[in-house]
Each structure stands twice: as structure tokens, then as C-alpha cells.
Amino acid sequence: MKILDADAWMAALMAAPRPGADKILAFYDARVDAVCRDARCLLLPLDDHMCHRGDALFESLCYREGRIFALEEHLARLRDGSRALSLLPPCSWDELRARILDVARASGTDHGDIRVLVGRGPGGFGVSPEECPQSSLYIVALRKALPTEAFYEKGLTAFASAIPPKQEYLARIKSTNYLPNVFMAAEARQRGMDVAVTFDEDGHLGEAAIANVGIVDAEGRLCCPEGRRILPGTSMLAARKIAPQRLPVVERPIRREEIFTAREMLLFTSASLCVGISHFEGRPIGQGPDAGRPGPVARWLRDALLEHMLATGTPFWGHI
């Protein structure tokens, strides 16, 4: 086995394969305090507790037409997680916000995704946060194709996951410890469906691996699960503000059997906003001509959410 000096090591590292490099548009690393566009330099120290303990927070943001969607709401949730974990970023919150805008601008594109990760930082391979003298911060802009009209028209298929909802004390912290979510994504692949959905011990609807779920019930109300064991996403919260223009909104426990009598089943994410779920456990959702395909509320909410997000989004071009 060769032993390399730093120069030879860096040369070999830069020449090593880098899957996913085409998706990385720009990134910021607080250790360097600068933005870079070369994906080969996007590196995480192995002894950062983000890596080997999942002791870190993250947020996934979407931007379109030069505007970052729900930036303040994402930052508010990051601050909530920061308090829960006693984990502050290595800069002020105003500086972190400014760096997000810097990275979005450095991406050179009008639309894409942004990941913000605040970690415990490097310092050792133990479990105690005390061995990490400084937290870490990474902000990454990612290439992302916009959802097509065909995607929305087709809708998604869903099923009840064998993975239980997260414990209450963890559910509302958006940490990088996402192994249950990974299991749910693997379930979906194995079953040939799009979305795995959790249910609690009483048979009440939870959430998908990286999205919120709701229904339009038989009475025509938009029903969203209680927030006790789910992570309320920015798109679902925005939908709850917008939807009263057309239909009543309630937050309540949703029994599994209600899905089969619901008018619609909806999935909320930052990237696709609102998508109709056409089938659950192989059975079509809805009645009449809309059975087995996305319904009118899904179609309206998608457009209404996009209009809302663009109107309230944070512009980054020309920002000082």
C-alpha cells in the first residue's frame, strides 16, 4: 500500500471517480468560508459527528424563477432544531441566510434545489458533542429538473409502510438521522410503488419518507394529520393557509380506512408542491370520473401553491 504526501493525495483524490458531480452546481463550506463550483472539492471530514452519529440538522429548499421558496419558514424550522439539539451554526443566523442566497446565485440557474446542513463538527469518533469544538455548515445548490405536466397528470401510487412513525421527541427535528426514511424508500422500490406512508399504533395516517400526506375526505374537507409524530413541511403548511379559499381545512387523526372513502389523497413536498395520489394499496382513490387519477383539489393546489411560493419567495439575483 502506497503512503502519499499531501500533494500526491490531493492529486489522486481529484482524479478519483465522483458520482453525482453533474448535479452539484455550487457549494459553501464554513471551514473555508467561500463558495466553490467543483464537485470534487465537496468533502466531509469523517470525524464530523454529522457523518458517523447523525448529529446534525438539514433543510431542503427549492428555488424557481430566481426565488427561494419559503426561506424564512425553513430557517425557522432549522432554528427550532438547533434549540432542540443545542447545536448552533458556526455563524449568525443572518449570515447563514446571506450565504444561502450567495450559493443560490453562484449556481448560475433560475431553478434548482438547495441543501443546508448544520453538523456538530469534526473532533473525534465518540458520541459526546463535547469533543467537537466547532460546528460545521455546508450549503449545496443542486441541479433539479422541474416536474413535468405528465408527472402531475399521472399521480403517484402509495401503500402502508411497515416502518412505524418516529418517536415524538424525534419526529419534529429534521436531523440527518434518516435511516427509517431510507427503509421506506427501499420498501417502495421493492413493491414497485412510489410512496410508502406510515401509520401509528392506532392506525392513524403519518407521513411519507420525505413528504407530508393529507386527504380530501368524504365531506370535502382538506384533512392533515396531527403534528405530534410528523414533521410538518413548508408546502403542507402553506396549503393549509391557501386551501380555505376553496374548502375547509382541519387537522385531525386520519384513520387508514378513511383513505378508501376519501375524494382525494395528496402528497406535499418542497419540489413538487402538491401531487395527487391516484392509488393506495392498489385501490383507486376517489369516486366517479376522478377515481384513480389526481382530482381537482390536487390540480388547483399545485397551481395555487406555485403562485403563492413565487409571490412570497426570496429573490437572490442582484441581492447584496
Side-chain angles (χ1 to χ4, degrees), residues 48-50 55-57 87-90 117-122 134-138:
D48 190 326
H49 285 211
M50 177 192 300
D55 188 2
L57 301 164
L87 172 58
L88 288 171
L117 300 102
V118 179
R120 190 66 65 180
Q134 181 64 65
S135 60
S136 54
L137 170 63
Y138 304 91

Side-chain angles (χ1 to χ4, degrees), residues 26-90:
F27 66 91
Y28 169 85
D29 184 334
R31 295 173 300 163
V32 182
D33 194 27
V35 176
C36 180
R37 294 192 179 101
D38 190 335
R40 297 174 300 172
C41 300
L42 179 58
L43 303 171
L44 173 70
L46 284 177
D47 61 343
D48 190 326
H49 285 211
M50 177 192 300
C51 178
H52 62 86
R53 298 296 174 183
D55 188 2
L57 301 164
F58 81 100
E59 285 291 327
S60 298
L61 299 86
C62 175
Y63 61 97
R64 296 193 196 182
E65 298 184 23
R67 291 176 176 269
I68 301 177
F69 290 178
L71 175 58
E72 306 309 327
E73 291 84 349
H74 282 286
L75 286 172
R77 186 167 62 186
L78 193 61
R79 285 194 294 268
D80 288 343
S82 173
R83 285 191 290 270
L85 292 184
S86 298
L87 172 58
L88 288 171

Side-chain angles (χ1 to χ4, degrees), residues 152-218:
Y152 288 106
E153 287 299 317
K154 180 182 179 183
L156 302 170
T157 56
F159 63 96
S161 175
I163 307 301
K166 293 178 181 177
Q167 296 160 299
E168 186 172 350
Y169 76 97
L170 288 175
R172 297 177 70 89
I173 301 174
K174 197 170 177 68
S175 78
T176 56
N177 191 340
Y178 249 44
L179 197 54
N181 310 66
V182 172
F183 286 145
M184 291 170 68
E187 274 187 309
R189 288 196 302 272
Q190 291 164 4
R191 294 191 55 166
M193 297 191 198
D194 299 311
V195 181
V197 179
T198 62
F199 289 84
D200 67 16
E201 299 81 5
D202 298 317
H204 293 143
L205 178 66
E207 59 189 348
I210 55 170
N212 291 129
V213 186
I215 65 169
V216 179
D217 68 8

Side-chain angles (χ1 to χ4, degrees), residues 24 32 36 47 69-71 76 92 112 116 128 156 185 256 263 273:
I24 298 168
V32 182
C36 180
D47 61 343
F69 290 178
L71 175 58
S92 73
V116 180
S128 172
L156 302 170
R256 178 172 171 173
R263 298 184 185 182
L273 300 176

Side-chain angles (χ1 to χ4, degrees), residues 296-312:
V297 174
R299 295 193 293 271
W300 170 71
L301 264 179
R302 180 199 68 167
D303 294 336
L305 279 169
L306 179 57
E307 181 180 353
H308 170 79
M309 292 297 188
L310 288 173
T312 60

Side-chain angles (χ1 to χ4, degrees), residues 4 8-21 38-43:
L4 305 179
W9 179 269
M10 291 305 301
L13 189 60
M14 292 299 100
R18 183 58 169 86
D38 190 335
R40 297 174 300 172
C41 300
L42 179 58
L43 303 171

